[in-house]
Amino acid sequence: MELIVARGREDLVKARRAGTVALVPTMGALHEGHRSLIRQARVRADQVVVSIFVNPLQFGPNEDFSRYPRTFESDLDVCRAEDVGVVFHPAAEDMYAPDRQVSVSAGEMGRIVEGASRPGHFDGVLTVVLKLFNLVQPDLAVFGQKDAQQLALIRRMVADLDLPIEILGAPTVREPDGLALSSRNRYLSGDDRRVALALSRALRAGAAQLTPAEIRRTARAVLDEAGPGLDLDYLALVDPATFTEVSESFEGMAVLAVAARVGSTRLIDNVTLTLNPA
Ligand code: AMP
């Protein structure tokens, strides 16, 4: 079927087919990680809508909004190859009126871990995701575990605001050497890329340990070994539902999350592990 490009609500209404709709929100520069989300959406719904929008609200003043990769034509090819029904590609002026007032607050959970490094980021994410939900009106939306705190906050928003949408979390897609795919990986030089491998290596080494203290210490040691080319922002072992640090006696699933700057590029990654299994 022909791929439809929608720019606004009217286009979306016209493009809507009978049956269920799954939304895959993205900022474009599509890679295999996005493709795996699209495939999961396709098996779960009759029609897949992929949104491509570099959301100015979720970038801080010193972040990479203006240099964020924009590859719309090749993104359309990816969407055609993946049998996507609709690409929603709004203009920033259409999404945000100059006099807009009301937005979503991510609350305390939006101010810790990743949110502590990026003030306002998660408010911007939740605001755009709620707008996308209202515009597309999907039955289901798919998000990557790669952005684990984002996924947790979207689940929180759906619960706290009673949104009638099912949220599906999808596993992180990696390069064969462990590097998590990211649109920002294209900024890494050859040397940067080698240094960047310390993130996934540290997470694997940490996840192989048994106690929170050992997990944190082991992962930290691997990051320290990477040398001055890696500027660690945080390493956190948290409860996946709240993103608060877990105690030594915590039982159940936990997320080991890392953020670091490599060269001029800020990278994040995480793994899920089980602590103190019965
Ligand atoms: P982005 O375009 O980076 O905003 O990401 C759009 C969606 O793709 C988000 O739900 C991300 O979590 C997800 N995503 C990004 N990278 C990956 C990856 N390597 N594996 C799986 N999902 C990913």
Side-chain angles (χ1 to χ4, degrees), residues 198-222:
L199 270 71
S200 53
R201 202 161 56 234
L203 296 177
R204 273 199 311 277
Q209 309 305 310
L210 292 178
T211 67
E214 285 168 356
I215 291 167
R216 290 184 176 108
R217 190 174 338 108
T218 305
R220 182 67 202 234
V222 175

Side-chain angles (χ1 to χ4, degrees), residues 16-192:
R16 177 130 196 163
R17 300 277 167 269
T20 53
V21 173
L23 171 66
V24 181
T26 83
M27 298 203 299
L30 300 181
H31 52 63
E32 276 301 320
H34 299 116
R35 290 178 89 131
S36 84
L37 267 51
I38 292 170
R39 284 179 206 137
Q40 295 188 47
R42 220 175 42 212
V43 290
R44 295 287 303 270
D46 300 310
Q47 191 180 31
V48 175
V49 178
V50 172
S51 62
I52 298 179
F53 181 60
V54 184
N55 173 32
L57 237 52
Q58 70 188 69
F59 287 79
N62 299 315
E63 295 183 359
D64 58 348
F65 174 71
S66 55
R67 77 158 190 163
Y68 196 85
R70 290 161 171 87
T71 60
F72 187 63
E73 290 307 318
S74 60
D75 290 348
L76 289 183
D77 292 338
V78 168
C79 289
R80 276 187 205 101
E82 292 296 342
D83 218 8
V84 169
V86 181
V87 166
F88 179 45
H89 186 54
E93 312 81 85
D94 295 335
M95 285 295 269
Y96 299 120
D99 62 344
R100 62 180 207 92
Q101 299 284 322
V102 177
S103 59
V104 180
S105 163
E108 178 53 25
M109 195 175 154
R111 288 189 284 272
I112 57 177
V113 195
E114 181 74 1
S117 297
R118 305 187 67 187
H121 169 69
F122 287 120
D123 296 352
V125 169
L126 294 188
T127 299
V128 80
V129 168
L130 182 59
K131 285 172 68 77
L132 291 169
F133 285 177
N134 287 331
L135 286 158
V136 176
Q137 303 200 8
D139 302 279
L140 170 85
V142 188
F143 295 87
Q145 181 66 35
K146 162 78 169 32
D147 297 277
Q149 194 171 355
Q150 168 176 287
L151 174 59
L153 276 163
I154 286 162
R155 291 193 192 283
R156 229 6 310 148
M157 175 171 76
V158 164
D160 290 353
L161 302 184
D162 303 301
L163 306 182
I165 297 168
E166 186 189 346
I167 303 300
L168 191 68
T172 301
V173 177
R174 298 176 181 281
E175 302 278 8
D177 60 11
L179 184 70
L181 295 190
S182 162
S183 304
R184 292 184 169 100
N185 288 352
R186 69 189 63 207
Y187 300 141
L188 299 171
S189 69
D191 279 349
D192 288 346

